[in-house]
Amino acid sequence: MIEPRENIKRLKPYTSARDLVKEEDLIFLDANENPFNSGMNRYPDPHQQVLKDALAGKLKTGASRIFVGNGSDEVIDLAIRAYAEPGKDRVLTLGPTYSMYEVQAAIQNVEVKEIPLDADFQPNPDKVLREVTDRDKILFICSPNNPTGNLVERGKIISLLESFNGLVFVDEAYVDFAPEGSVIDLVENYPNLLVSRTFSKAYGMAGIRLGMGVAQETMIQTLSKIKYPYNVNRLTQQAAMEALENPEKVEQQINTLIRERETLRSRLSGFSFIKKIFPSDANFLLLEVKSAGSLIDFLKKKGIVIRDRSGVIEGKELVRITVGTPQQNQQLIYELKNFDNG
Ligand SMILES: Cc1ncc(COP(=O)(O)O)c(C=O)c1O
């Protein structure tokens, strides 16, 4: 049974003016807003109900099982705020992985224990369980994992859900590039599962800052209790609704990016300075190279920016390249040919 922090259990959340009156088309003189209609003069719906109803279809779950936040980073933050006690509890990560879990925990003064993934970047459930103590409240699993790019096997996630007593947070920021890998359907059976998704990657809307958490109602209610009342603004809710009503463009882009990822992989495999291209279920490739620094500097001079990930695996020179448009990828390959010959 996962219990929130004691103070969160006792917390009486802020009640906003819009919580008290549900009707529309009234004369609202209750929230100290500017009454002149600009389309933006009213606070947004704090429960984001219309958006959640639309997301329920996309995420194949009930609206009451959805939390929406300011990016999935907010979901990570609130999970730690709700379930891990500062100065006492720990959270577990499976490294190398997305660094925000560690940063958010540190901000909350919650200790982090990183357990290494195996050589194929899969977790070893027995190894994880050997490390678990009573203080461990959240286990972060990133699938597909950033920066390694691979999905975590469903069987391993189930095994961890069944044996870890705390909250299992599965971060699916990149899963739209490998939709068969989602574990949202497991929420039904596992009250300790929280799955996050985002509009920042496949949806091409990193600028609107919208992320989702999917879990059973009790957990969603806890997260909702501690969020800022108006955490997702009106413009974001509107932009997300428009995207959800027109899914074809996004689906087309996802297909293009998956195809481009594989084209990029085969073109890159011919270069002598690349030692290894890791398998990817996401919109990026992790490469082991001879010298990350000289490659990054060379490309920067040509106007192309890639990310240094050296050190995330001990002793390896690594770079992470996001899959671009077909034209951007061609430009990248063109410059890399010059680098290879240089
Ligand atoms: C694994 C992972 N999770 C979450 C995020 C953050 O997503 P959002 O933009 O929804 O906050 C990122 C961003 O790079 C990421 O790589």
Side-chain angles (χ1 to χ4, degrees), residues 209-242:
R209 310 302 304 130
L210 184 68
M212 294 80 84
V214 180
Q216 289 189 6
E217 283 79 356
T218 310
M219 201 184 291
I220 296 300
Q221 282 157 12
T222 299
L223 298 177
S224 303
K225 189 172 161 184
I226 65 172
K227 75 178 179 65
Y228 285 149
Y230 306 109
N231 61 330
V232 178
N233 69 67
R234 194 177 274 273
L235 288 169
T236 294
Q237 294 191 43
Q238 283 174 5
M241 285 302 295
E242 279 166 33

Coordinates of all heavy atoms in Angstrom, one line a residue, residues 209-242:
R209 N 4.1 23.0 -23.0 CA 4.3 22.4 -21.7 C 3.1 21.6 -21.2 O 2.3 22.1 -20.4 CB 4.7 23.4 -20.6 CG 5.9 24.3 -21.0 CD 7.1 23.5 -21.3 NE 7.6 22.7 -20.2 CZ 7.9 21.4 -20.4 NH1 7.8 20.8 -21.6 NH2 8.2 20.6 -19.4
L210 N 2.9 20.4 -21.8 CA 1.8 19.6 -21.3 C 2.3 18.1 -21.2 O 2.8 17.5 -22.1 CB 0.6 19.6 -22.3 CG -0.6 18.8 -21.8 CD1 -1.2 19.5 -20.6 CD2 -1.6 18.7 -23.0
G211 N 2.1 17.6 -20.0 CA 2.4 16.2 -19.7 C 1.2 15.6 -19.0 O 0.3 16.3 -18.4
M212 N 1.2 14.3 -19.0 CA 0.1 13.6 -18.4 C 0.6 12.5 -17.4 O 1.7 12.0 -17.6 CB -0.7 12.8 -19.4 CG -1.5 13.7 -20.4 SD -0.4 14.3 -21.7 CE -0.5 12.9 -22.9
G213 N -0.2 12.2 -16.4 CA 0.1 11.0 -15.5 C -1.1 10.1 -15.6 O -2.2 10.6 -15.5
V214 N -0.9 8.8 -15.7 CA -2.1 7.9 -15.7 C -1.9 6.9 -14.5 O -0.8 6.3 -14.4 CB -2.1 7.1 -17.0 CG1 -3.3 6.2 -17.0 CG2 -2.3 8.1 -18.2
A215 N -2.9 6.8 -13.7 CA -2.8 5.9 -12.5 C -4.2 5.7 -12.0 O -5.2 6.3 -12.5 CB -2.0 6.6 -11.4
Q216 N -4.4 4.8 -11.0 CA -5.7 4.6 -10.5 C -6.1 5.9 -9.7 O -5.3 6.7 -9.3 CB -5.7 3.4 -9.5 CG -5.5 2.1 -10.3 CD -5.7 0.9 -9.5 OE1 -6.1 0.9 -8.3 NE2 -5.5 -0.3 -10.1
E217 N -7.4 6.0 -9.5 CA -8.0 7.3 -9.0 C -7.4 7.8 -7.7 O -7.2 9.0 -7.6 CB -9.5 7.1 -8.8 CG -10.4 7.1 -10.1 CD -10.4 5.8 -10.8 OE1 -9.6 4.9 -10.5 OE2 -11.1 5.7 -11.9
T218 N -7.1 6.9 -6.8 CA -6.6 7.4 -5.5 C -5.3 8.2 -5.7 O -5.1 9.3 -5.1 CB -6.2 6.2 -4.6 OG1 -7.4 5.4 -4.6 CG2 -5.9 6.6 -3.2
M219 N -4.4 7.7 -6.6 CA -3.1 8.4 -6.8 C -3.4 9.7 -7.6 O -2.7 10.7 -7.3 CB -2.2 7.5 -7.6 CG -0.7 7.9 -7.4 SD 0.4 7.0 -8.4 CE 0.4 5.4 -7.6
I220 N -4.3 9.6 -8.6 CA -4.6 10.9 -9.3 C -5.1 11.9 -8.4 O -4.8 13.1 -8.5 CB -5.6 10.6 -10.5 CG1 -5.0 9.6 -11.5 CG2 -6.1 11.8 -11.1 CD1 -3.7 10.1 -12.2
Q221 N -6.0 11.5 -7.4 CA -6.5 12.5 -6.5 C -5.4 13.1 -5.6 O -5.4 14.3 -5.3 CB -7.6 11.8 -5.6 CG -8.9 11.7 -6.3 CD -9.8 10.6 -5.8 OE1 -9.6 10.1 -4.7 NE2 -10.9 10.3 -6.5
T222 N -4.5 12.3 -5.2 CA -3.4 12.8 -4.4 C -2.5 13.8 -5.2 O -2.2 14.9 -4.7 CB -2.5 11.7 -3.9 OG1 -3.3 10.8 -3.1 CG2 -1.3 12.1 -3.1
L223 N -2.2 13.5 -6.4 CA -1.4 14.5 -7.2 C -2.2 15.7 -7.5 O -1.7 16.9 -7.4 CB -1.0 13.8 -8.6 CG -0.1 12.6 -8.5 CD1 0.1 12.1 -10.0 CD2 1.2 12.9 -7.9
S224 N -3.5 15.6 -7.7 CA -4.3 16.8 -8.0 C -4.5 17.7 -6.8 O -4.6 18.9 -6.9 CB -5.7 16.3 -8.4 OG -5.6 15.5 -9.5
K225 N -4.4 17.1 -5.6 CA -4.6 17.8 -4.3 C -3.4 18.8 -4.1 O -3.5 19.8 -3.5 CB -4.6 16.8 -3.2 CG -4.9 17.2 -1.8 CD -5.1 16.0 -1.0 CE -4.9 16.4 0.5 NZ -5.0 15.2 1.4
I226 N -2.2 18.4 -4.6 CA -1.0 19.2 -4.3 C -0.5 20.0 -5.5 O 0.4 20.8 -5.4 CB 0.2 18.4 -3.8 CG1 0.7 17.4 -4.8 CG2 -0.3 17.6 -2.5 CD1 1.9 16.6 -4.4
K227 N -1.2 19.9 -6.7 CA -0.7 20.8 -7.8 C -1.2 22.2 -7.6 O -2.0 22.5 -6.8 CB -1.4 20.2 -9.1 CG -2.8 20.5 -9.3 CD -3.4 20.0 -10.6 CE -4.9 20.3 -10.8 NZ -5.2 21.7 -10.9
Y228 N -0.5 23.1 -8.4 CA -1.1 24.5 -8.4 C -2.5 24.4 -9.0 O -2.7 23.6 -9.9 CB -0.2 25.4 -9.3 CG 1.1 25.8 -8.8 CD1 2.2 26.0 -9.6 CD2 1.3 26.0 -7.4 CE1 3.4 26.4 -9.1 CE2 2.5 26.4 -6.9 CZ 3.6 26.6 -7.7 OH 4.8 27.0 -7.2
P229 N -3.4 25.2 -8.4 CA -4.8 25.1 -8.9 C -4.9 25.2 -10.4 O -5.6 24.5 -11.1 CB -5.5 26.3 -8.2 CG -4.6 26.6 -7.0 CD -3.2 26.2 -7.4
Y230 N -4.2 26.2 -11.0 CA -4.3 26.4 -12.5 C -3.0 26.0 -13.1 O -2.4 26.8 -13.8 CB -4.6 27.9 -12.7 CG -5.9 28.3 -12.0 CD1 -5.8 29.2 -10.9 CD2 -7.1 27.8 -12.3 CE1 -6.9 29.6 -10.2 CE2 -8.3 28.2 -11.6 CZ -8.1 29.1 -10.6 OH -9.2 29.5 -9.9
N231 N -2.5 24.8 -13.0 CA -1.2 24.4 -13.4 C -1.1 24.3 -14.9 O 0.0 24.3 -15.5 CB -0.7 23.1 -12.8 CG -1.7 21.9 -13.1 OD1 -2.9 22.1 -13.3 ND2 -1.1 20.7 -13.1
V232 N -2.2 24.1 -15.6 CA -2.2 24.0 -17.1 C -3.0 25.2 -17.6 O -4.2 25.3 -17.4 CB -2.7 22.7 -17.6 CG1 -2.7 22.6 -19.1 CG2 -1.9 21.5 -17.1
N233 N -2.3 26.1 -18.3 CA -3.0 27.4 -18.7 C -4.0 27.2 -19.9 O -4.0 26.1 -20.5 CB -2.0 28.5 -19.0 CG -1.2 28.2 -20.3 OD1 -1.8 28.2 -21.4 ND2 0.1 27.9 -20.2
R234 N -4.8 28.2 -20.1 CA -5.9 28.1 -21.1 C -5.3 27.9 -22.5 O -5.9 27.1 -23.3 CB -6.7 29.4 -21.0 CG -8.0 29.5 -21.6 CD -8.7 30.8 -21.4 NE -9.4 30.8 -20.1 CZ -10.7 30.4 -20.0 NH1 -11.3 29.9 -21.0 NH2 -11.3 30.5 -18.8
L235 N -4.2 28.6 -22.8 CA -3.7 28.5 -24.2 C -3.2 27.0 -24.4 O -3.4 26.5 -25.5 CB -2.5 29.4 -24.4 CG -2.8 30.9 -24.5 CD1 -1.6 31.8 -24.4 CD2 -3.6 31.2 -25.8
T236 N -2.6 26.5 -23.4 CA -2.1 25.1 -23.6 C -3.3 24.1 -23.7 O -3.2 23.2 -24.6 CB -1.3 24.7 -22.3 OG1 -0.1 25.5 -22.3 CG2 -0.9 23.3 -22.3
Q237 N -4.3 24.3 -22.9 CA -5.4 23.4 -23.0 C -6.1 23.5 -24.4 O -6.4 22.5 -25.1 CB -6.5 23.7 -21.9 CG -6.0 23.4 -20.5 CD -7.0 23.5 -19.5 OE1 -8.1 23.0 -19.6 NE2 -6.7 24.1 -18.3
Q238 N -6.1 24.7 -24.9 CA -6.7 24.9 -26.3 C -5.9 24.3 -27.4 O -6.3 23.6 -28.2 CB -6.9 26.4 -26.6 CG -8.1 27.0 -25.9 CD -8.1 28.6 -26.1 OE1 -7.3 29.1 -26.8 NE2 -9.1 29.2 -25.5
A239 N -4.6 24.5 -27.3 CA -3.6 24.0 -28.3 C -3.7 22.5 -28.3 O -3.6 21.8 -29.3 CB -2.2 24.5 -28.1
A240 N -3.7 21.9 -27.1 CA -3.7 20.4 -27.0 C -5.0 19.9 -27.6 O -5.0 18.8 -28.3 CB -3.6 20.0 -25.6
M241 N -6.2 20.5 -27.3 CA -7.4 20.1 -27.9 C -7.4 20.1 -29.4 O -7.8 19.2 -30.1 CB -8.6 21.0 -27.4 CG -9.0 20.7 -26.0 SD -9.5 19.0 -25.7 CE -11.0 18.9 -26.7
E242 N -6.8 21.2 -30.0 CA -6.7 21.2 -31.5 C -5.9 20.1 -32.0 O -6.2 19.5 -33.0 CB -6.1 22.6 -31.9 CG -7.1 23.7 -31.9 CD -6.4 25.1 -32.0 OE1 -5.3 25.1 -32.6 OE2 -6.9 26.0 -31.4

